[in-house]
Amino acid sequence: MKKAIIFGVTGQDGSYLADFLLKKKYSVHGIKRKSSSFNTERVNHIFEKKNFYLHYGDVTDSSTVQNLINLIKPDEIYNLAAQSHVAVSFKIPEYTANTVALGSLRILEAIRSSNLRKKIKFYQAGSSEMFGKVQQIPQTEKTPFYPRSPYAVSKVFAHWITINYREAYKIFACNGILFNHESPRRGETFVTRKISLALSKIKLGLQRKLLVGNLNAKRDWGHAKDYVEAQWLILQQKKPNDYVISTGENHSVKEFIDLSAKFLNIKLRWKGKGIKTKAYDQKGNCIIECSKKYYRPTEVDTLLGSSLKAKKDLNWKPKIKFNQLVKEMVNSDYMNLKKNYVKKKR
Ligand code: NAP
Ligand code: G4F
């Protein structure tokens, strides 16, 4: 039985990856950080599974990282732990660098200094945010980076330190450069989930208005379930390598809103430009407005990836299309809210 450690198991990807690896008959060791409130909601459904283990740990704490690796002796380590919110990284840059950049280094150092250096395969959760102010369209493994936030700069460090440890110490260390991927388990402050939740609440009369930032930003949005499969495939190759994982199509935030509204049968009428853009429902109520609060000091305007290398080497391509992704997210939020709301009313 193969053993895997997932740093960041309580996050969106960590929970889907744990589901995926358990189905592949792995013994899965998830690392969760201490929190004063429950942070295991996304893994509650596998909590009691035979081959699933949860350990306390934090990527800012090198001695625990080392102890866990030496204790568990994993075949594979997935580093998904991060302060992963780009806008928040401008507010807490040092903490972001500590988790995102130094967190990766701490895990790599623990692998290097253990006697398992030749056995362990390491996956680093890289990001399309590293392309930032894009130097090429579409972005590939060869496109130069131009990071535009403390988060993205930290991911660039993590990317290169992974390559450095691969070359210097012959560790099987790989980077996935993943474009945005979403799901019903997406954190509620990322734009897609913020939209699916808010519009569902508006439809049910539980919220009046949605406030957003830059409606014109474009992202290459895929489904997290498809993307965790790519993470695993990257570690199953004969040689360690780096891969772009993307869908090859992008859409604006406004398009995401339009499609979500369509699935909820809300007819939107847009008015105004830029920060003054507003959207009204069929009754003439203003239900969407822009706020400077959600603009970033430096924005990434557009991202679009090419996953030709992943298709060729990993035989990977996304199965879930943009329309299906939006529909699943909106349906999930709407149905859950409706169930809870009706329960409360009783
Ligand atoms: P997420 O939902 O924000 O999950 C991040 C995970 O990291 C959570 O389990 C979080 O714990 C944990 N974490 C945060 N700080 C930690 C620390 N100091 N020590 C240990 N764990 C810590 O992110 P995601 O969307 O699943 O993304 C997974 C990884 O892929 C991240 O590294 C992200 O930067 C990267 N990535 C994501 C995307 C995307 O579109 N989703 C694209 C490219 C790259 P809590 O639950 O306690 O907060
Ligand atoms: O959903 P977002 O916050 O995701 P962002 O910044 O693209 O980062 C996500 O994807 C990266 C991969 O490229 C990951 F590495 C990272 O960890 C994270 O998962 O914002 C998407 C776009 C941005 O351009 C933002 O300015 O939506 C725009 N936006 C407009 N209004 C908003 C909002 N973003 C958020 N979070 N909230 C808004 O109200």
Side-chain angles (χ1 to χ4, degrees):
M1 182 182 269
K2 274 196 187 174
K3 273 189 266 180
I5 293 184
I6 304 175
F7 286 95
V9 74
T10 55
Q12 171 189 253
D13 288 14
S15 65
Y16 280 117
L17 182 64
D19 292 344
F20 179 87
L21 293 177
L22 286 171
K23 275 204 195 111
K24 292 248 170 239
K25 306 279 181 239
Y26 277 63
S27 161
V28 177
H29 294 258
I31 313 302
K32 65 162 186 171
R33 60 181 177 154
K34 168 72 183 83
S35 145
S36 62
S37 50
F38 288 110
N39 61 353
T40 52
E41 197 190 336
R42 294 185 181 105
V43 288
N44 279 345
H45 63 290
I46 49 174
F47 200 76
E48 306 259 304
K49 287 243 168 169
K50 204 169 73 202
N51 296 320
F52 184 65
Y53 307 89
L54 270 179
H55 309 260
Y56 279 111
D58 198 299
V59 292
T60 62
D61 174 358
S62 38
S63 59
T64 314
V65 169
Q66 237 169 39
N67 291 343
L68 283 166
I69 291 174
N70 289 323
L71 176 84
I72 297 163
K73 302 189 182 8
D75 300 278
E76 296 169 10
I77 296 179
Y78 295 85
N79 177 27
L80 312 181
Q83 187 305 92
S84 73
H85 203 286
V86 174
V88 173
S89 79
F90 288 98
K91 307 286 178 199
I92 46 170
E94 188 180 328
Y95 176 73
T96 302
N98 197 5
T99 58
V100 176
L102 296 182
S104 310
L105 174 60
R106 288 186 188 101
I107 299 172
L108 283 163
E109 253 307 278
I111 298 173
R112 186 198 63 76
S113 61
S114 75
N115 52 14
L116 304 162
R117 187 199 313 184
K118 294 213 172 91
K119 167 185 155 161
I120 298 176
K121 294 179 170 183
F122 173 77
Y123 173 83
Q124 164 57 27
S127 166
S128 52
E129 278 292 306
M130 298 188 292
F131 296 121
K133 190 170 179 181
V134 297
Q135 302 296 295
Q136 219 174 37
I137 298 174
Q139 294 86 57
T140 71
E141 292 78 7
K142 295 201 170 117
T143 304
F145 297 140
Y146 193 141
R148 297 267 282 171
S149 63
Y151 167 80
V153 173
S154 304
K155 283 287 183 191
V156 172
F157 174 90
H159 178 90
W160 281 108
I161 202 69
T162 299
I163 293 175
N164 183 241
Y165 271 55
R166 176 163 85 211
E167 292 175 352
Y169 307 116
K170 311 285 174 257
I171 294 173
F172 195 108
C174 309
N175 289 294
I177 308 174
L178 272 55
F179 282 63
N180 298 50
H181 44 281
E182 320 291 313
S183 74
R185 295 188 198 168
R186 183 56 142 154
E188 294 177 12
T189 59
F190 297 95
V191 78
T192 55
R193 187 75 200 288
K194 184 172 163 181
I195 294 166
S196 66
L197 255 180
L199 289 184
S200 298
K201 284 187 183 168
I202 290 170
K203 179 75 185 176
L204 289 163
L206 303 171
Q207 183 174 324
R208 280 226 194 104
K209 211 173 263 181
L210 162 66
L211 289 183
V212 286
N214 179 9
L215 288 164
N216 300 320
K218 283 188 157 185
R219 289 292 182 272
D220 179 331
W221 278 301
H223 196 298
K225 260 193 194 169
D226 282 339
Y227 285 46
V228 298
E229 185 186 8
Q231 294 171 3
W232 175 76
L233 282 169
I234 289 173
L235 293 196
Q236 309 316 307
Q237 302 310 297
K238 284 215 176 83
K239 287 190 179 156
N241 214 326
D242 310 317
Y243 292 95
V244 161
I245 302 296
S246 63
T247 70
E249 67 176 65
N250 65 9
H251 300 271
S252 67
V253 173
K254 191 158 175 268
E255 280 176 77
F256 197 102
I257 294 178
D258 280 332
L259 196 56
S260 304
K262 191 178 141 212
F263 287 131
L264 286 163
N265 213 8
I266 302 175
K267 289 202 177 67
L268 285 181
R269 206 160 33 84
W270 290 97
K271 274 190 176 173
K273 273 192 181 158
I275 188 82
K276 294 207 170 120
T277 311
K278 291 181 184 183
Y280 298 83
D281 68 7
Q282 46 270 59
K283 287 185 191 148
N285 300 315
C286 173
I287 59 166
I288 302 170
E289 264 185 55
C290 295
S291 163
K292 270 270 171 249
K293 197 174 144 192
Y294 296 107
Y295 278 66
R296 294 162 187 192
T298 37
E299 173 65 295
V300 171
D301 296 318
T302 181
L303 289 171
L304 180 68
S306 163
S307 285
L308 282 179
K309 183 175 167 187
K311 186 157 190 272
K312 185 169 161 275
D313 291 6
L314 315 177
N315 195 21
W316 179 89
K317 63 173 191 209
K319 299 181 189 89
I320 304 169
K321 298 265 177 252
F322 180 68
N323 268 33
Q324 285 169 272
L325 166 72
V326 180
K327 193 174 186 181
E328 187 188 334
M329 290 181 74
V330 168
N331 260 344
S332 159
D333 279 331
Y334 181 78
M335 294 314 288
N336 281 336
L337 284 164
K338 199 171 167 192
K339 211 166 53 195
N340 291 336
Y341 181 56
V342 170
K343 228 193 257 167
K344 262 193 203 151
K345 267 181 107 182
R346 277 194 197 132

